[in-house]
Amino acid sequence: MSSLQAVHNIPEICAQLGITDVVLSPGSRCAPLTIAFARHPAITVRTVPDERVAAFIGLGLAQAQRRAVALVCTSGTAGLNYAPAVAEAYFQQIPLVVFTADRPPEWIDQLDGQTIRQADLYGAHAKGTFTFPADTTHPDAHWHAGRIVSEAIGLAEQFPAGPVQVNVPLREPFYPKAGEQLQFQPVKVTRELPGRPQLPAAALQELREAVQTTGRVLVVAGQHPASAELLLAVRQFAAAYQVPVVGDLIANLHLPAAPNFDQRLRPLGRQDVFMAVPEPGLKAALKPELLITFGQSLISKALKLYLRTAKPTQHWHVQPAGAVADTFQSLTKVVRMEPTDFFAALLAEAPRSTTNSIGVSESSDLSSIHSATTTSTPYVTTPNHTAAPDATRVAAAPAPTGPVRLVWPGSGAHLSEAAASAKAAYLKPWLAAENWAEGFLQKFMQQPNQPFNEFTAIYRALQLLPDHTALHLANSMAVRYANILGLPAGRTAEVFANRGTSGIDGCTSTAIGAALAQPDRPVVLLTGDVAFFYDRNAFWHNYPTPNLRVILLNNHAGGIFRLIDGPRQQPELEEFFETRQPLTAENTARDFHLHYHTARTFTELESALPVFFAPESGASLLEITTDSPTNAEFFEQYRAAVKSSFA
């Protein structure tokens, strides 16, 4: 048996446990791993020279495929370059199995080349670390080596998923002799069988009664992959208990729950708009008594700050396992269930009306729902409220609203009249604020004679986004703009963003990983210039991505710093915060064979977008060039209009 047989068995173990994709970066010390993976018939191997890029491409592959991806690199600082993607995977709960080739243990700290202390390289940002045996000639060591790989893959995929490191010390010779065939022997693997935790019936009944009897119940969703089961369960729960459900764009609650789903019952997503309204009466009306959360991080700073101030009496977070963050400083209960199972379980004992496939009662008064969700009049504090004329107003002044009794499917069957009335009274301002925000945005973004600016440019691009797109949002202003604007109703784009650590360092690479994982699906990246040029090596590989579209907002600066009160008021703004740069992406597009489009006016943008999004256009880059001070001035007009148009 070859001294490297245990190493050559690693791809076979990976394949048997469902890993089909490996991203590796060339090197000498990792040669045995490289050759073994490259020659395995069930593994797709992609070579990416830049390890930082390679790791983010692997993250994008795993994110899109929803299964573990392996990374392979050589010894020394190569593994350190994986660290940003490893941290992102850890906080975003994405499974990566990281194989770092290493010197044998006796040569660590002996001034040998490409040698650092690689054991536990990622520390607290990996779920675990394993050290492969340096010598595997003894049968026990051979068994130990195989067991380690099985355990590592199982740990990576076990909820909450995340990255694990397998450090592999290797001695020369690294390469098989000419003509030598690698043998992939039968291997023993240990499989993890996933389970879904359930609460005892008595505990579920206690939760159910609390939801039924509490008037002000609010559901807030953090970042979450799209799930048809979850969408339907959340919507049915919200309908049955008259509960507002709020989620950022990356929560993927905007997707239709079923082909015939009534969009009037969709969750709310305009909180970045109406939470900026300086109306004490509105804020008081929105305060929950019971907050139910699931998912990961929130983009909306306004919502986070509001919930930290308007603390609920109870806050339940629904998550089957793992550490839970007390984001709003009010956590009182951790519910160890899958969110889908939780919302379904709270409905299980409730009497049902006859429902269609979307949980809407056939005899329900949908006109009353429609009146609350399509009217242009938001919540107001007094019945005699009138607004003073304001030159900055872009939406109609709010008029008083009378009592609205919402009839939701099943509400009369399992809620008392008092409870139903209390819930309707709490739901009303949420629906009205959401509706006002939608009307406001539409009017503001379509006002004539605007200067060319990136905020409106994004709005127009999102209106034409192809259905079934995987929309990747780079960090900084791109993800914030998109979260404010949202997607047109009924659009079936799934939204991704690296909000685990919220760094700019791998946004393009992650999108490219997604494009490689799903070649038949449109993948659109919305990014700013700093994130784009920082991650330009993302295109340095030899794999076609005809489904990739990159929308680059180039204002030749880090424009976000003009929008933050601290840095924008400092004399050092332009040189030390904005990181001004004169680059354009035309050379990058030419170097990496991307079709290049540019827009400096709304006319050019309207002309470019249909061609850019056309399926036959191939891998393309649209560079939208704007002026940073103009962008900041227009966004300030938006923020001022939000306040004056509501008050």
Side-chain angles (χ1 to χ4, degrees):
M1 181 176 64
S2 166
S3 62
L4 290 173
Q5 187 61 53
V7 175
H8 296 160
N9 286 347
I10 291 175
E12 178 64 19
I13 298 171
C14 288
Q16 289 202 28
L17 292 178
I19 292 180
T20 61
D21 290 84
V22 174
V23 183
L24 61 84
S25 298
S28 182
R29 182 65 53 171
C30 61
L33 285 163
T34 298
I35 293 168
F37 276 114
R39 295 187 186 181
H40 196 283
I43 302 285
T44 299
V45 180
R46 297 178 178 89
T47 302
V48 179
D50 184 324
E51 284 89 359
R52 181 174 58 81
V53 168
F56 276 108
I57 286 179
L59 184 144
L61 285 162
Q63 190 181 60
Q65 296 175 344
R66 303 193 185 185
R67 62 174 181 263
V69 166
L71 306 176
V72 176
C73 70
T74 194
S75 62
T77 57
L80 286 175
N81 285 294
Y82 282 168
V86 167
E88 178 64 32
Y90 181 82
F91 288 110
Q92 211 180 132
Q93 299 176 0
I94 294 175
L96 295 176
V97 183
V98 182
F99 293 99
T100 51
D102 199 2
R103 289 291 196 277
E106 65 269 19
W107 284 104
I108 306 302
D109 291 332
Q110 300 307 306
L111 305 182
D112 212 18
Q114 285 185 241
T115 305
I116 64 172
R117 299 172 183 175
Q118 290 185 201
D120 198 20
L121 192 60
Y122 308 109
H125 294 114
K127 287 187 68 179
T129 184
F130 299 82
T131 300
F132 204 79
D135 296 296
T136 56
T137 53
H138 190 280
D140 286 354
H142 192 82
W143 159 75
H144 181 211
R147 194 190 80 210
I148 279 173
V149 178
S150 281
E151 289 178 0
I153 296 170
L155 181 61
E157 295 187 326
Q158 189 183 97
F159 190 93
V164 299
Q165 180 197 7
V166 182
N167 198 49
V168 186
L170 293 164
R171 291 196 173 92
E172 297 189 58
F174 303 142
Y175 303 94
K177 296 176 182 178
E180 181 181 349
Q181 297 296 314
L182 266 63
Q183 300 295 320
F184 297 108
Q185 298 178 336
V187 295
K188 182 183 78 68
V189 298
T190 304
R191 301 182 186 275
E192 292 270 349
L193 299 180
R196 298 176 75 150
Q198 293 289 334
L199 294 185
L204 279 173
Q205 182 59 28
E206 180 184 339
L207 298 179
R208 191 178 296 115
E209 289 175 358
V211 172
Q212 288 177 350
T213 58
T214 303
R216 293 168 164 254
V217 180
L218 173 67
V219 174
V220 173
Q223 183 169 19
H224 200 282
S227 165
E229 278 188 329
L230 176 60
L231 286 169
L232 192 56
V234 168
R235 280 166 164 81
Q236 289 177 328
F237 171 86
Y241 291 107
Q242 304 190 77
V243 171
V245 178
V246 181
D248 286 332
L249 197 56
I250 57 174
N252 285 298
L253 295 181
H254 59 279
L255 293 162
N260 60 339
F261 184 76
D262 191 326
Q263 279 298 115
R264 290 172 294 182
L265 303 180
R266 69 191 183 278
L268 314 181
R270 304 296 187 186
Q271 62 276 6
D272 262 346
V273 182
F274 61 76
M275 280 293 172
V277 170
E279 173 61 69
L282 174 64
K283 297 294 176 64
L286 300 182
K287 181 178 178 179
E289 296 172 293
L290 168 58
L291 173 65
I292 302 173
T293 59
F294 67 93
Q296 299 163 30
S297 65
L298 291 177
I299 299 170
S300 178
K301 185 176 181 180
L303 180 59
K304 281 191 285 191
L305 293 178
Y306 171 71
L307 290 175
R308 288 171 188 170
T309 302
K311 287 184 171 59
T313 305
Q314 297 185 72
H315 172 196
W316 307 345
H317 185 77
V318 184
Q319 181 176 303
V324 172
D326 189 6
T327 304
F328 310 116
Q329 302 175 318
S330 59
L331 187 65
T332 58
K333 195 168 292 183
V334 177
V335 181
R336 291 300 187 187
M337 294 180 72
E338 290 283 352
T340 301
D341 297 339
F342 168 78
F343 291 111
L346 292 197
L347 288 171
E349 298 297 324
R352 299 287 192 95
S353 299
T354 302
T355 60
N356 62 19
S357 62
I358 58 170
V360 177
S361 172
E362 301 292 0
S363 61
S364 293
D365 181 10
L366 286 177
S367 63
S368 63
I369 299 173
H370 185 72
S371 69
T373 57
T374 60
T375 177
S376 61
T377 56
Y379 170 84
V380 290
T381 53
T382 66
N384 299 317
H385 175 83
T386 56
D390 191 320
T392 66
R393 186 181 302 284
V394 299
T401 56
V404 176
R405 172 60 202 269
L406 299 178
V407 180
W408 293 84
S411 62
H414 63 282
L415 294 176
S416 68
E417 184 66 27
S421 296
K423 289 178 181 296
Y426 181 59
L427 182 62
K428 175 183 169 183
W430 281 101
L431 292 174
E434 174 83 1
N435 180 66
W436 170 82
E438 286 190 0
F440 165 81
L441 276 175
Q442 186 175 18
K443 291 178 181 179
F444 183 85
M445 301 311 298
Q446 294 178 1
Q447 60 183 311
N449 303 318
Q450 298 180 31
F452 188 60
N453 69 91
E454 60 190 18
F455 193 31
T456 304
I458 292 172
Y459 174 78
R460 297 190 182 185
L462 292 177
Q463 301 304 302
L464 298 180
L465 197 69
D467 269 338
H468 308 296
T469 289
L471 175 61
H472 282 250
L473 302 172
N475 284 311
S476 200
M477 284 309 297
V479 70
R480 289 173 171 84
Y481 283 146
N483 200 54
I484 292 169
L485 296 169
L487 295 176
R491 195 58 50 87
T492 56
E494 185 177 2
V495 183
F496 301 86
N498 285 350
R499 298 301 292 180
T501 59
S502 302
I504 65 166
D505 38 4
C507 301
T508 306
S509 299
T510 304
I512 287 175
L516 292 169
Q518 299 177 319
D520 296 326
R521 183 184 194 184
V523 175
V524 176
L525 169 67
L526 180 61
T527 185
D529 51 343
V530 178
F532 176 83
F533 290 117
Y534 189 94
D535 197 22
R536 189 161 38 177
N537 270 2
F539 300 102
W540 183 24
H541 58 81
N542 299 318
Y543 307 100
T545 54
N547 54 329
L548 178 68
R549 303 292 185 274
V550 179
I551 300 175
L552 168 60
L553 308 170
N554 192 352
N555 55 42
H556 298 288
I560 190 172
F561 292 104
R562 284 189 181 269
L563 305 177
I564 302 173
D565 285 339
R568 69 176 178 172
Q569 296 160 348
Q570 307 306 316
E572 294 86 358
L573 170 66
E574 290 195 6
E575 182 176 358
F576 296 104
F577 289 95
E578 277 200 316
T579 56
R580 297 192 62 81
Q581 47 78 25
L583 301 173
T584 70
E586 186 173 7
N587 288 336
T588 300
R590 182 175 59 249
D591 288 345
F592 296 109
H593 309 293
L594 304 173
H595 295 287
Y596 179 70
H597 308 265
T598 185
R600 294 175 178 270
T601 66
F602 287 126
T603 301
E604 291 178 354
L605 181 65
E606 296 298 322
S607 177
L609 282 171
V611 179
F612 172 75
F613 281 131
E616 63 273 14
S617 293
S620 301
L621 188 152
L622 170 60
E623 184 167 25
I624 299 172
T625 303
T626 59
D627 175 65
S628 186
T630 300
N631 292 332
E633 182 179 350
F634 185 80
F635 198 67
E636 279 304 305
Q637 291 175 12
Y638 156 77
R639 292 202 284 205
V642 168
K643 298 173 182 178
S644 63
S645 294
F646 192 97

